[in-house]
Amino acid sequence: MAKSGHQSAIAFPAEVARYLLLDPEDVARLIELDGLPALSIPKATRKVTRINLRDLYSWLVVRTKNPPANLTDYETFLADFNISAGRKTAA
């Protein structure tokens, strides 16, 4: 599974899937059918999908009733996302 290995404002769909406890195919469906904002980045032979974490945070906040503690602010969300996604923390 893709893993960025560093803290970035852009996430792989697999990282988002781990955070949301979904299959990567479900994240693709959320992008296609439910308006989860995503970037389509052209590569040499294909396009790859990446998700801006600020967009993901905003998308989740709008759709969440009674947000849990990890959605109270972006910095808390980001720390929780990085742990859930298996990203390395800054030294």
Side-chain angles (χ1 to χ4, degrees), residues 42-43 51 55 66 68 73 87:
K43 301 281 264 182
I51 298 164
D55 291 343
N66 303 317
D73 64 76
R87 291 178 166 199

Side-chain angles (χ1 to χ4, degrees):
M1 235 179 210
K3 188 160 81 171
S4 66
H6 68 282
Q7 292 186 9
S8 171
I10 306 295
F12 290 95
E15 292 175 318
V16 173
R18 281 192 296 274
Y19 176 74
L20 296 175
L21 302 175
L22 297 172
D23 290 327
E25 296 82 18
D26 292 332
V27 173
R29 277 189 218 95
L30 290 173
I31 292 167
E32 185 177 330
L33 302 174
D34 199 24
L36 174 61
L39 306 167
S40 181
I41 302 170
K43 301 281 264 182
T45 59
R46 61 188 172 94
K47 292 182 181 179
V48 295
T49 300
R50 300 291 182 263
I51 298 164
N52 182 294
L53 291 177
R54 285 200 181 271
D55 291 343
L56 173 62
Y57 171 75
S58 297
W59 186 83
L60 287 170
V61 167
V62 168
R63 285 163 176 73
T64 304
K65 295 180 184 177
N66 303 317
N70 64 341
L71 286 181
T72 56
D73 64 76
Y74 178 71
E75 294 304 320
T76 304
F77 159 79
L78 187 58
D80 189 51
F81 180 88
N82 286 330
I83 291 167
S84 298
R87 291 178 166 199
K88 296 177 184 175
T89 57

